[in-house]
Amino acid sequence: MHPFKTQFTLSREYLAECFDQSLPHGKGAKPNYLLPALLLATGSGSLMFTEQPKVLGYLLVALGILELLHIRFRRAWWLARQMLGRSANTEVALTIDDDGITTKSTHTQTTLSWSEIERVVETDLGLILVTKSGGQQYLSKSLFPAELVSEIVARNQ
């Protein structure tokens, strides 16, 4: 494999693409409505069927609503957290060679050797590198020539 080097910026658009393309393949692809339903049911039941002070019931209902808001706005919340982080809007140097894939910015350096990558998931706009430890790293296809994308996918099949 010929060494390939490029740079990109961790912009809001890149991070939004990362979230949108990774979500269907991640652990939280389908939101879990069980917890908010249980919180709302328990809180409502406490308010209606007990003579105890109503503070606990209101607290459980409020937590259920907060959890529903968290589920509804998870993309915006994730993007806001990423944009507030110190890596936001920094330049990232990406190197792909026979050793693996290295990303380097002013704050972090990550090297994934080919042996650490368990599988490569190809999405419409990018590649998700799944490591043997369960971690994921997203790389946009717009960073690579088409033949390099197919070489990366073929390398881990």
Side-chain angles (χ1 to χ4, degrees), residues 87-107:
S87 295
N89 294 315
T90 58
E91 284 290 319
V92 177
L94 174 69
T95 305
I96 299 177
D97 55 21
D98 288 329
D99 297 330
I101 299 173
T102 302
T103 54
K104 182 189 262 185
S105 70
T106 55
H107 299 96

Side-chain angles (χ1 to χ4, degrees), residues 24-59:
H25 304 284
K27 296 172 188 155
K30 186 176 177 190
N32 184 3
Y33 291 103
L34 181 62
L35 178 62
L38 288 174
L39 288 170
L40 290 170
T42 306
S44 298
S46 174
L47 288 172
M48 288 194 278
F49 301 119
T50 66
E51 297 299 324
Q52 300 296 322
K54 306 295 184 191
V55 175
L56 179 63
Y58 288 125
L59 179 67

Side-chain angles (χ1 to χ4, degrees), residues 84-148:
L84 290 173
R86 63 183 177 167
S87 295
N89 294 315
T90 58
E91 284 290 319
V92 177
L94 174 69
T95 305
I96 299 177
D97 55 21
D98 288 329
D99 297 330
I101 299 173
T102 302
T103 54
K104 182 189 262 185
S105 70
T106 55
H107 299 96
T108 61
Q109 178 173 344
T110 304
T111 301
L112 283 176
S113 66
W114 294 113
S115 62
E116 291 177 42
I117 299 172
E118 183 176 322
R119 62 189 164 95
V120 177
V121 178
E122 187 172 7
T123 66
D124 293 338
L125 300 176
L127 301 171
I128 301 171
L129 309 173
V130 181
T131 64
K132 291 180 180 173
S133 63
Q136 292 184 350
Q137 183 171 347
Y138 177 82
L139 296 172
S140 178
K141 285 183 186 177
S142 65
L143 302 172
F144 312 119
E147 61 271 2
L148 183 59

